Amino acid sequence: MPQAQDPVRVALIGSGRMGAFHGETLARRLPGAELAAVADPAPGAAERLASTLGAPKFFTDAAEAFADPEIDAVVIAAPARFHAGLVVSAAAAGKGVFCEKPMAVTLADADRAIDAAHAAGVVLQVGFNRRFAADWAAARALLDDGRLGTPRLLRSVTRDPGGFDPARVAPNTIFLETLIHDFDALRFLNPGASAVEVFATANALVEPEWRDRGLLDTAVVLVRFDNGAVGTAEACFEASYGYDVRGEVFGSGGMATMGDGRRTGMVFSGKPGRLAETVRSDQELLSAAYVAELATFVGAVRDGTPAPVGGEDARSALEIALAAAQSVESGRPVLIDELAK
Amino acid sequence: MPQAQDPVRVALIGSGRMGAFHGETLARRLPGAELAAVADPAPGAAERLASTLGAPKFFTDAAEAFADPEIDAVVIAAPARFHAGLVVSAAAAGKGVFCEKPMAVTLADADRAIDAAHAAGVVLQVGFNRRFAADWAAARALLDDGRLGTPRLLRSVTRDPGGFDPARVAPNTIFLETLIHDFDALRFLNPGASAVEVFATANALVEPEWRDRGLLDTAVVLVRFDNGAVGTAEACFEASYGYDVRGEVFGSGGMATMGDGRRTGMVFSGKPGRLAETVRSDQELLSAAYVAELATFVGAVRDGTPAPVGGEDARSALEIALAAAQSVESGRPVLIDELAK
Amino acid sequence: MPQAQDPVRVALIGSGRMGAFHGETLARRLPGAELAAVADPAPGAAERLASTLGAPKFFTDAAEAFADPEIDAVVIAAPARFHAGLVVSAAAAGKGVFCEKPMAVTLADADRAIDAAHAAGVVLQVGFNRRFAADWAAARALLDDGRLGTPRLLRSVTRDPGGFDPARVAPNTIFLETLIHDFDALRFLNPGASAVEVFATANALVEPEWRDRGLLDTAVVLVRFDNGAVGTAEACFEASYGYDVRGEVFGSGGMATMGDGRRTGMVFSGKPGRLAETVRSDQELLSAAYVAELATFVGAVRDGTPAPVGGEDARSALEIALAAAQSVESGRPVLIDELAK
Amino acid sequence: MPQAQDPVRVALIGSGRMGAFHGETLARRLPGAELAAVADPAPGAAERLASTLGAPKFFTDAAEAFADPEIDAVVIAAPARFHAGLVVSAAAAGKGVFCEKPMAVTLADADRAIDAAHAAGVVLQVGFNRRFAADWAAARALLDDGRLGTPRLLRSVTRDPGGFDPARVAPNTIFLETLIHDFDALRFLNPGASAVEVFATANALVEPEWRDRGLLDTAVVLVRFDNGAVGTAEACFEASYGYDVRGEVFGSGGMATMGDGRRTGMVFSGKPGRLAETVRSDQELLSAAYVAELATFVGAVRDGTPAPVGGEDARSALEIALAAAQSVESGRPVLIDELAK
């Protein structure tokens, strides 16, 4: 464990779009952290990002980062299918682990990751950024102080700004990588409740000619919880107006709505009417949340405090995602208990 | 047919809460109409309302209104289970018919009503008021002019202000009388598409102790349309903040959101923050829409023009409602084609 | 005085843009009123409007309306310079009087009108429609119930949608006919206080080439009240986004903002961002207020109750308008007490 | 000049409320800067803040910071009356200078500061944070790209959350320290125009019993610019709902409104209606702007680029403030050209 006054030395695993953002946060936006290394198997990629951000080390093999005694913790932003394995290795090496969502894409892998962190006694935090976004945190505060009462109906929406390549969308991406955020958001805003049953419908509406090849770019998922509340999660890979992340919790005490979507508070009244520009990307909308989640993680590593959103949360969201995929396949509602464990 | 310059003479059938509102509209808010009679079987009820509103005639039997040659048209606001029979009788008597929703609670009855109006060649309009509300009409205009593109995801919400008596809620009221509005709203905002499949989940969350007696006070319904669009309709019989009717259409061109919910545009910034009062009842929120639908009806009767929302629309919304009820019962998605015709 | 059950028979004096709107309200939107006659000196104008609205009588001389014993009340919507004289004549004939703003353009005329109504014991109501607009009424309610506390700073804005003919703008129109609404709004929202001093600056910014001919199309007026509160009124004859009427009251208890400006609650999120259409005319924005003020007037005439906004209010707003004009001329603040009485 | 890769070493002059915030930004939020020293004459104050923030040096005399060759630049956050002298000394020592507003409280001092920076060839930036706030920058962008057209009417509002001690409010604080922001905002949003005339009215409305001792806690200032546009600036030292900073630019092309005031985008609909919490302090509302202005300053020092808001801007805003104070004293509008230079 590093001393309170020393920065936490973090290795970044993966230097893609999110990796670069997290790397910059570690290098420049978090005084308590130090970007100590970058690892990426693509030739030259780790070196380039390390150089840009002033990180002293770079590796093509994440194992080198795990083996490095000067590394306190890792931030995993590799492709989703590698996440669980990387968590297991990093934990085994005694590193604190922040893992981008999804932490795993099978329940067995999720369990392996959770067990590894537990066995090693290291922090394991998962990148459910919405919990760190101001609107969502404020809604949760209304639940915690009782003003919203008992949740009855919830909603969580993710719409991406488009521009994706249908050929590169892995099966069930919409559930495992996009809606996983919404499943966690529903859970976050229905505290203490567990998902019981899931019904989903999905389709290729943005790129209909890819429907036959199995593309799902638009989906709606109903999640029934054991307290009777019902959550609706919906996603689409393309919104003409940018990046749209919103939520709603309706309880016995009232309703909280989250997700303003406006770029700034400036409104332009012109010939067509009143116009407010909308945000265009996750990094624009959620930049403060991305920083906050890493700040929390770094604090947990430094102080040995538990991460506020960990492996069990990742597993619970994954259950909903897997049930949703299975529901689309079968055309039937799926009980969480039906899932092959 | 009355002369263009003569007011349309309308008999009101039913003098309850909505009947009284419609009666007042006919008597006082619509220059082209005249409230000619009120009919209600409850002793004294028709007479009382007729006297209040200055209607010259009152009946305890609606048949008297249908038989009266001085009546041009009827507005049916009796309990839902009588609607279809009243439509059939009124149409058979050659009266133009405006019927509150639901026009019928079985498909057979819906067909009887449609056939009767068709056979008699009379106007048949159904009380789907949301089509006449400014926000919804504006959203539809965005669809009609192409700006919203092709609908992908739709949402329609109804939350009542509460205060209902669980003992008096007939089975499936939430689908047949509340969400029927939302089912029509989804259809209105996905023009030309037909519902294919319905999945619903419902519960007693406002009055949980009535759950065992079959109360459903909270429901979410997914409707899959033949153009791939998916609509979500949700309802709850109690919202602490008043009467909440909202909608959303997300299409390839963008998104329209409807349902402001604010009582006025005045915002009070005080110690707790910025506060906008919310509307408290359907008649407050939708008063202009209620007047507009009757104005349209009266115009259709006078000019012999078709009603913009008729018996077939009522039947299509009813199909979704019946499928939703069946889905809750069976725990499975229900195809519209499965419904007993 | 008419019987409670009889409609109030109203003659419309002036058949221009506002006259036609008021005429339609009297004929079609107010069950308690009857448009009994239209008077307009322009050849054929009164006859045309009377025919359109089904008014039984029309006159080219308002005096005929005043002399007609079948007329209970008049609505004066003639050009501003004739208002005071018409009020005096109508009152002398014992008619209830509703007069469009400004009731008078000199203080002497205002006094004559007030005296005439008082001497005749008739209702005199002035067309300050903003008091009847929901937002403004709600703000006033916050003052009346104490939640806003003592007013400190107030603001009232009027921006017209443009399209005016600079050649036809009489001197000081911006103060006497446009900002007179704002001066009344400031008074309405600072109840019990009196204007003490006025400073104004005005210019031709929409049509700068008319500046030398004395056009004032843009103005800002500071009004200091005897309770220390300061109101700012501003106007411009052209706003690219439509008709913009807003207000703000900031008091010791908080702030009320009025004037939403949106055409409906529907918001379109498209490529440029979130767009809400804006209202385009006074009659669109304030149609309910226009109806409400006449309903109040008709009720006052029928029931003999006092009008809520009368000749003294018109006079007080006129004082501010005259002081503003004088301030622009002199380049100095002007005390209300300085005004030639 | 430091190397591009070295952080700019900054000394903080003044460790009060704003000083501490700027110090934290330099130490923790700006990777390109280093908090190298803190200076404060109060015994122990500099040492305490330096220790908290990890700054290696602390001084009780700012001159020591100016003399230190390891300091590249200074951030002046001392009491206003010392600003100009500190700017002169720091510039003479060759340091880049960021000075909190007001840079000076007399025109002579403003000129001395400007001359000193010019003579030394150092960066001089003034703390007009609103230019760095997203809403204001977005409005300026609308001006720069022509969409707003030519400004006609502007408004700038500052309301503090209250809790001030009337005994410690220096004369004309409301103009020199509060509204100075608004005067700069008006200038920023009317680019290229110069203030010509100022009329102001001010009073003690929050603490009326201090009126006789000269307290001014509420003020409205009209500023006429040489392009005909008129700006209204208003301030009050107490708003029950928090810290309220807003603006409006109305031009020939439309209107921009700035200043949302909401703490987050979360809205709670509860019994009283829809509630959005409001921000409670300048540091909450403007934290991103405070960071952005120092980032810009540090970049200017590092790269030798000019500061976007400098001594001349401070002087121009001061002219308006002094004219406003003089206007209140004389009860008359004051020409900028009348000011004793």
Side-chain angles (χ1 to χ4, degrees):
Chain A
M1 276 302 118
Q3 295 300 101
Q5 54 272 39
D6 292 332
V8 174
R9 295 160 303 182
V10 186
L12 174 70
I13 314 298
S15 69
R17 198 180 67 94
M18 268 320 299
F21 190 92
H22 285 320
E24 205 175 326
T25 298
L26 294 164
R28 300 191 174 151
R29 299 183 194 104
L30 279 187
E34 183 185 306
L35 180 64
V38 178
D40 196 305
E47 182 172 6
R48 264 195 309 277
L49 188 62
S51 157
T52 302
L53 297 176
K57 299 177 185 178
F58 49 91
F59 310 112
T60 50
D61 186 347
E64 295 181 78
F66 301 153
D68 188 330
E70 292 188 329
I71 303 288
D72 301 313
V74 299
V75 166
I76 298 173
R81 65 188 181 281
F82 301 125
H83 286 180
L86 290 165
V87 171
V88 169
S89 303
K95 310 303 186 197
V97 182
F98 178 95
C99 184
E100 260 303 326
K101 53 83 210 171
M103 184 187 71
V105 296
T106 68
L107 294 180
D109 272 358
D111 288 335
R112 283 203 306 135
I114 292 166
D115 291 347
H118 192 255
V122 296
V123 169
L124 171 56
Q125 184 175 329
V126 177
F128 288 139
N129 48 40
R130 234 162 276 181
R131 293 186 181 221
F132 297 88
D135 290 22
W136 277 258
R140 173 63 184 254
L142 286 181
L143 284 162
D144 291 344
D145 74 12
R147 275 194 284 172
L148 274 179
T150 307
R152 294 175 184 166
L153 296 168
L154 302 100
R155 186 190 192 209
S156 185
V157 175
T158 302
R159 295 185 190 142
D160 285 311
F164 65 100
D165 176 356
R168 303 188 55 173
V169 176
N172 289 322
T173 295
I174 200 163
F175 300 118
L176 292 168
E177 305 206 24
T178 302
L179 282 161
I180 196 95
H181 277 304
D182 300 281
F183 301 144
D184 183 64
L186 294 177
R187 291 187 66 251
F188 179 59
L189 295 167
N190 193 9
S194 297
V196 170
E197 191 188 47
V198 175
F199 178 76
T201 177
N203 207 331
L205 297 179
V206 180
E207 300 284 357
E209 67 280 15
W210 284 78
R211 190 175 295 151
D212 294 342
R213 277 171 280 187
L215 179 71
L216 300 176
D217 57 35
T218 308
V220 184
V221 183
L222 281 198
V223 182
R224 193 160 55 79
F225 287 90
D226 61 2
N227 64 345
V230 180
T232 307
E234 61 166 78
C236 183
F237 284 174
E238 182 199 76
S240 70
Y241 52 93
Y243 183 62
D244 185 8
V245 165
R246 283 174 294 142
E248 183 174 313
V249 192
F250 168 64
S252 52
M255 171 175 69
T257 49
M258 300 83 74
D260 186 63
R262 294 186 296 164
R263 182 165 266 172
T264 72
M266 195 277 286
V267 177
F268 173 44
S269 299
K271 278 203 199 315
R274 298 207 196 291
L275 181 70
E277 288 191 17
T278 38
V279 294
R280 299 290 155 170
S281 75
D282 55 346
Q283 293 177 357
E284 180 181 4
L285 180 66
L286 294 166
S287 61
Y290 282 128
V291 174
E293 66 180 0
L294 286 194
T296 299
F297 169 65
V298 163
V301 170
R302 189 183 54 226
D303 306 333
T305 49
V309 48
E312 293 291 353
D313 293 302
R315 190 191 197 283
S316 294
L318 177 62
E319 288 177 344
I320 302 175
L322 293 171
Q326 199 168 310
S327 173
V328 167
E329 211 171 316
S330 67
R332 292 280 170 254
V334 173
L335 292 169
I336 294 296
D337 280 346
E338 288 177 50
L339 291 175
K341 301 295 153 127
Chain B
M1 277 300 118
Q3 296 300 102
Q5 55 271 42
D6 291 333
V8 174
R9 294 160 305 180
V10 186
L12 174 71
I13 313 299
S15 68
R17 198 182 66 95
M18 266 320 299
F21 190 93
H22 285 319
E24 205 175 327
T25 298
L26 293 165
R28 299 190 176 153
R29 300 183 193 105
L30 279 187
E34 184 186 306
L35 181 64
V38 178
D40 196 305
E47 181 172 6
R48 265 195 308 277
L49 188 62
S51 156
T52 302
L53 297 175
K57 300 177 183 177
F58 50 89
F59 309 113
T60 49
D61 186 348
E64 294 180 77
F66 302 152
D68 188 330
E70 293 188 328
I71 303 288
D72 301 313
V74 299
V75 165
I76 298 173
R81 66 187 180 281
F82 301 124
H83 286 180
L86 289 165
V87 172
V88 169
S89 303
K95 310 303 186 196
V97 181
F98 178 95
C99 184
E100 258 304 326
K101 53 84 212 172
M103 184 188 71
V105 296
T106 68
L107 293 180
D109 272 357
D111 288 334
R112 282 203 306 134
I114 292 167
D115 291 347
H118 192 255
V122 297
V123 169
L124 171 56
Q125 184 176 328
V126 178
F128 287 140
N129 48 39
R130 235 163 275 181
R131 294 186 180 220
F132 297 87
D135 290 22
W136 277 258
R140 173 64 185 255
L142 286 181
L143 285 162
D144 291 343
D145 74 12
R147 276 194 282 172
L148 274 179
T150 306
R152 294 175 183 166
L153 296 168
L154 302 100
R155 185 190 194 210
S156 185
V157 175
T158 302
R159 295 182 190 144
D160 284 311
F164 65 100
D165 176 357
R168 301 188 56 172
V169 175
N172 290 320
T173 294
I174 199 163
F175 301 118
L176 292 167
E177 304 205 24
T178 302
L179 282 161
I180 196 94
H181 277 303
D182 301 279
F183 301 145
D184 182 64
L186 295 178
R187 292 186 66 252
F188 179 58
L189 295 167
N190 193 9
S194 297
V196 170
E197 192 188 48
V198 174
F199 179 77
T201 178
N203 208 331
L205 298 179
V206 180
E207 299 285 357
E209 68 280 15
W210 284 78
R211 190 175 296 151
D212 295 343
R213 277 170 281 185
L215 179 71
L216 301 176
D217 56 35
T218 307
V220 184
V221 183
L222 280 198
V223 182
R224 192 161 57 77
F225 287 90
D226 60 1
N227 64 345
V230 180
T232 308
E234 62 167 75
C236 183
F237 284 173
E238 180 199 77
S240 71
Y241 53 94
Y243 183 63
D244 185 8
V245 165
R246 283 175 293 141
E248 182 174 312
V249 192
F250 168 64
S252 52
M255 171 175 68
T257 49
M258 299 83 74
D260 187 63
R262 295 185 295 165
R263 182 164 266 175
T264 72
M266 195 277 285
V267 177
F268 174 45
S269 299
K271 278 203 199 316
R274 299 207 194 293
L275 180 70
E277 289 190 16
T278 37
V279 295
R280 298 290 154 170
S281 75
D282 55 347
Q283 292 176 358
E284 180 183 4
L285 179 66
L286 294 166
S287 61
Y290 282 128
V291 174
E293 65 179 1
L294 286 194
T296 298
F297 169 65
V298 163
V301 170
R302 190 183 53 226
D303 306 332
T305 50
V309 47
E312 292 291 352
D313 293 301
R315 191 192 196 282
S316 295
L318 177 63
E319 287 176 346
I320 302 175
L322 293 172
Q326 201 168 310
S327 174
V328 167
E329 211 170 316
S330 68
R332 292 280 171 252
V334 173
L335 292 169
I336 294 296
D337 281 346
E338 287 178 51
L339 292 175
K341 299 296 154 129
Chain C
M1 277 300 119
Q3 297 300 102
Q5 55 270 42
D6 292 332
V8 174
R9 295 162 302 180
V10 185
L12 174 70
I13 313 298
S15 67
R17 198 180 68 93
M18 268 319 299
F21 191 91
H22 285 319
E24 205 175 328
T25 298
L26 293 165
R28 301 192 175 150
R29 300 183 193 105
L30 279 188
E34 183 186 307
L35 181 64
V38 178
D40 196 306
E47 182 172 6
R48 265 195 308 277
L49 189 63
S51 157
T52 303
L53 296 176
K57 299 178 184 176
F58 51 89
F59 310 111
T60 49
D61 185 348
E64 294 179 77
F66 303 153
D68 188 330
E70 294 188 326
I71 303 288
D72 301 314
V74 299
V75 165
I76 298 173
R81 65 189 180 282
F82 301 124
H83 286 179
L86 289 164
V87 172
V88 170
S89 302
K95 311 303 185 196
V97 182
F98 178 95
C99 185
E100 261 302 326
K101 54 84 209 169
M103 184 187 70
V105 295
T106 68
L107 294 180
D109 272 357
D111 288 335
R112 282 204 306 135
I114 292 166
D115 292 347
H118 192 256
V122 296
V123 169
L124 171 56
Q125 184 176 330
V126 177
F128 288 139
N129 48 39
R130 234 163 275 183
R131 293 186 180 220
F132 296 87
D135 291 21
W136 277 257
R140 173 63 186 255
L142 286 181
L143 284 161
D144 290 344
D145 75 12
R147 276 193 283 171
L148 274 180
T150 307
R152 293 174 184 168
L153 296 168
L154 302 101
R155 186 191 193 208
S156 185
V157 174
T158 303
R159 294 183 191 144
D160 285 311
F164 65 99
D165 176 356
R168 302 187 56 173
V169 176
N172 289 321
T173 294
I174 200 163
F175 300 117
L176 292 168
E177 305 205 23
T178 302
L179 282 160
I180 196 95
H181 277 304
D182 301 280
F183 301 144
D184 183 64
L186 294 177
R187 292 186 65 251
F188 179 59
L189 295 166
N190 193 10
S194 297
V196 170
E197 190 188 48
V198 175
F199 179 76
T201 177
N203 207 331
L205 297 180
V206 180
E207 300 284 358
E209 67 280 16
W210 283 79
R211 191 175 296 150
D212 294 343
R213 277 171 280 185
L215 179 72
L216 301 176
D217 55 36
T218 307
V220 184
V221 183
L222 281 198
V223 182
R224 193 160 57 78
F225 287 90
D226 60 2
N227 64 344
V230 179
T232 308
E234 61 167 77
C236 183
F237 284 172
E238 182 199 75
S240 72
Y241 53 94
Y243 184 62
D244 185 7
V245 165
R246 283 176 293 141
E248 182 175 313
V249 192
F250 169 65
S252 52
M255 170 175 69
T257 49
M258 299 84 74
D260 187 63
R262 294 186 297 165
R263 182 165 266 174
T264 72
M266 196 277 285
V267 177
F268 173 45
S269 298
K271 279 203 199 315
R274 298 207 196 291
L275 181 70
E277 288 191 17
T278 37
V279 294
R280 298 290 155 169
S281 74
D282 54 347
Q283 293 177 357
E284 180 181 3
L285 179 66
L286 295 166
S287 61
Y290 282 128
V291 174
E293 66 180 0
L294 287 194
T296 299
F297 169 64
V298 163
V301 170
R302 189 183 54 226
D303 306 333
T305 50
V309 47
E312 292 290 353
D313 293 302
R315 190 190 197 282
S316 294
L318 177 63
E319 287 176 346
I320 301 175
L322 293 172
Q326 200 168 310
S327 173
V328 168
E329 211 171 317
S330 68
R332 292 280 171 252
V334 172
L335 293 169
I336 294 295
D337 281 346
E338 287 178 49
L339 291 175
K341 298 296 153 126
Chain D
M1 277 300 118
Q3 297 299 103
Q5 55 269 44
D6 292 331
V8 173
R9 295 161 304 181
V10 185
L12 175 70
I13 313 298
S15 67
R17 197 182 66 96
M18 267 319 300
F21 190 93
H22 285 319
E24 206 175 326
T25 297
L26 293 165
R28 299 192 176 151
R29 299 182 195 106
L30 278 187
E34 184 186 305
L35 181 64
V38 178
D40 195 306
E47 182 172 6
R48 266 195 308 276
L49 188 62
S51 156
T52 303
L53 297 175
K57 301 177 182 176
F58 50 89
F59 309 112
T60 49
D61 186 346
E64 293 180 78
F66 302 153
D68 188 329
E70 293 188 329
I71 303 288
D72 302 313
V74 300
V75 165
I76 298 172
R81 66 188 181 281
F82 301 124
H83 285 180
L86 289 164
V87 172
V88 169
S89 303
K95 310 303 187 198
V97 182
F98 178 96
C99 184
E100 260 303 327
K101 55 83 213 173
M103 184 188 70
V105 294
T106 68
L107 294 180
D109 271 359
D111 288 335
R112 282 203 306 134
I114 292 167
D115 291 347
H118 192 256
V122 297
V123 169
L124 171 55
Q125 184 176 328
V126 178
F128 287 139
N129 49 39
R130 235 162 275 182
R131 294 186 179 220
F132 296 87
D135 290 21
W136 277 257
R140 174 61 186 255
L142 286 181
L143 284 162
D144 290 344
D145 75 12
R147 275 194 283 172
L148 274 180
T150 306
R152 293 174 184 167
L153 296 168
L154 301 101
R155 187 190 192 208
S156 184
V157 175
T158 302
R159 295 183 190 145
D160 285 311
F164 65 100
D165 176 356
R168 301 188 55 173
V169 176
N172 289 321
T173 294
I174 199 163
F175 301 118
L176 292 168
E177 305 206 24
T178 302
L179 282 160
I180 196 94
H181 277 303
D182 301 280
F183 302 145
D184 183 63
L186 295 178
R187 291 186 66 251
F188 179 58
L189 295 166
N190 193 10
S194 297
V196 171
E197 192 188 49
V198 174
F199 179 77
T201 178
N203 208 331
L205 298 179
V206 180
E207 300 284 359
E209 66 281 15
W210 284 78
R211 190 175 296 151
D212 294 343
R213 277 170 281 184
L215 179 72
L216 301 176
D217 56 35
T218 306
V220 184
V221 183
L222 280 198
V223 182
R224 192 160 57 79
F225 287 90
D226 60 1
N227 65 344
V230 180
T232 308
E234 60 167 76
C236 183
F237 284 173
E238 181 199 75
S240 71
Y241 53 94
Y243 183 62
D244 185 7
V245 165
R246 284 175 294 141
E248 181 175 313
V249 192
F250 168 64
S252 51
M255 171 175 69
T257 49
M258 299 84 73
D260 187 63
R262 295 186 296 166
R263 182 165 266 173
T264 73
M266 195 277 286
V267 177
F268 173 45
S269 299
K271 278 202 199 316
R274 300 207 195 291
L275 180 70
E277 289 190 16
T278 37
V279 294
R280 298 290 155 170
S281 75
D282 54 346
Q283 291 177 357
E284 180 182 3
L285 179 66
L286 294 166
S287 62
Y290 282 128
V291 174
E293 66 179 1
L294 286 195
T296 298
F297 170 64
V298 163
V301 170
R302 189 182 54 227
D303 307 331
T305 49
V309 48
E312 293 290 353
D313 293 302
R315 191 191 196 282
S316 294
L318 177 62
E319 287 176 346
I320 302 175
L322 293 172
Q326 200 168 310
S327 174
V328 167
E329 211 171 316
S330 68
R332 292 280 171 250
V334 172
L335 292 168
I336 295 296
D337 280 346
E338 286 178 51
L339 293 174
K341 298 294 153 130

